[in-house]
Amino acid sequence: MKALDKYNARVDAARSLLCIGLDSDIGMLPAAFSADESPQLAFNRSIIDATAQYAAAFKFNMAFYEANGADGWRQLAASLQYLRQTQPDILTICDAKRADIGNTSAAYARSIFDELGFDAVTLNPYLGRDALQPFLDYEGKACIILCRTSNPGSAEIQNLRLPDRPLWQLVAEMVVADWNENGNCMLVAAATNPENMAHIRSIVGDMTLLVPGVGAQGADVNAVLRAGLNSAGRGLIINSSRGVIFADDPRTAAASLRDAINACRDDASLQTV
């Protein structure tokens, strides 16, 4: 099954657009896990067990595992294996923002898709199509390309003006017109910029968007749904990381966010024509 089909099937089955980010910073783990032989794995298993019923996707931020060296990589692989074994219908995203010259990108793609077995990966478009081609060639995997991100400094580059439009708009146009030949592209569109998200939606049609910025970054769910739902009432992977995994009760936090998203989805005024 292609990654997009897998995600859409899970959205319908779980009635959820929620993605839970496993940003399992070893320095922030609750004390109950710190003494474990594999603290990141133990923590991730607990989060998966508590929240999976409310999730359509899980996103692993590679930085927090790579920072823990070889043992972090081991715990990442074991966490992903546990997720696949217990929740095989949930989309798995590698948040790595990769891109490099062709043979290096090919090695990154093999690492992420073949060795680890992720369904999707985040990619940086700055090096151009040839750097992303090894990922794009995996027709069954999803390539989630940075377009409009949520960090405060994103405007320094992404808002640079071309003669008639900002750079992020050109990225969206290039992806939908030229890079999506295999129908496996998605875009990152920040919840903190709903006006830009609405413009991205108008450019890319029904393409699915990964949406950071909900939860700890405080973006408005209602604005996100108004800006980003596609014609099928899907098209969004709404991520929350710290706001769920480091909550006092992750299960309740995930359920509450999933329900808040669904309340907005059910609002007739949000339905696209």
Side-chain angles (χ1 to χ4, degrees):
M1 179 183 290
K2 290 187 175 181
L4 177 58
D5 296 331
K6 178 178 181 178
Y7 179 68
N8 286 336
R10 177 65 185 183
V11 168
D12 292 344
R15 198 167 177 268
S16 176
L17 297 173
L18 177 61
C19 174
I20 295 173
L22 289 171
D23 294 7
S24 303
D25 184 344
I26 197 165
M28 293 183 62
L29 300 186
F33 299 97
S34 298
D36 194 281
E37 181 180 0
S38 299
Q40 290 174 301
L41 173 59
F43 178 72
N44 287 346
R45 288 178 61 146
S46 74
I47 296 296
I48 291 166
D49 289 346
T51 65
Q53 70 186 94
Y54 307 109
F58 277 88
K59 180 171 71 67
F60 293 76
N61 191 317
M62 291 290 281
F64 297 109
Y65 303 95
E66 292 172 350
N68 198 21
D71 198 45
W73 182 273
R74 176 188 66 81
Q75 293 183 66
L76 166 69
S79 298
L80 188 60
Q81 182 180 32
Y82 180 75
L83 178 56
R84 285 200 304 265
Q85 288 175 342
T86 60
Q87 303 291 337
D89 298 332
I90 291 180
L91 187 78
T92 58
I93 301 171
C94 175
D95 191 359
K97 302 177 179 68
R98 295 287 193 249
D100 212 314
I101 61 172
N103 62 338
T104 308
S105 273
Y108 277 138
R110 291 195 302 272
S111 168
I112 291 166
F113 290 148
D114 295 334
E115 178 65 24
L116 289 169
F118 278 101
D119 297 315
V121 63
T122 57
L123 300 170
N124 189 331
Y126 192 72
L127 275 72
R129 176 170 178 161
D130 66 316
L132 302 191
Q133 194 63 53
F135 298 94
L136 297 170
D137 287 342
Y138 282 78
E139 296 184 21
K141 304 293 187 176
C143 298
I144 308 174
I145 299 166
L146 302 179
C147 182
R148 190 69 179 94
T149 62
S150 62
N151 58 301
S154 62
E156 295 175 21
I157 301 296
Q158 294 165 21
N159 277 355
L160 287 176
R161 294 295 301 183
L162 304 175
D164 58 350
R165 61 203 189 279
L167 182 60
W168 62 260
Q169 182 176 332
L170 176 63
V171 170
E173 292 169 352
M174 291 179 67
V175 171
V176 73
D178 299 322
W179 297 3
N180 196 32
E181 291 178 343
N182 290 325
N184 60 345
C185 287
M186 303 179 184
L187 289 175
V188 174
T192 49
N193 294 290
E195 298 85 2
N196 292 166
M197 183 187 293
H199 195 170
I200 291 168
R201 174 59 70 208
S202 72
I203 294 168
V204 304
D206 284 342
M207 183 179 288
T208 296
L209 309 176
L210 173 62
V211 182
V214 171
Q217 294 185 59
D220 179 68
V221 170
N222 186 69
V224 168
L225 272 289
R226 287 185 181 279
L229 280 177
N230 67 13
S231 65
R234 303 192 197 100
L236 298 173
I237 305 173
I238 300 177
N239 183 75
S240 180
S241 300
R242 291 167 291 166
V244 171
I245 67 173
F246 295 131
D248 292 337
D249 184 347
R251 183 189 305 275
T252 298
S256 297
L257 182 52
R258 191 279 308 265
D259 292 346
I261 293 168
N262 282 342
C264 293
R265 288 178 76 195
D266 292 341
D267 186 339
S269 67
L270 292 177
Q271 301 307 308
T272 55
V273 178

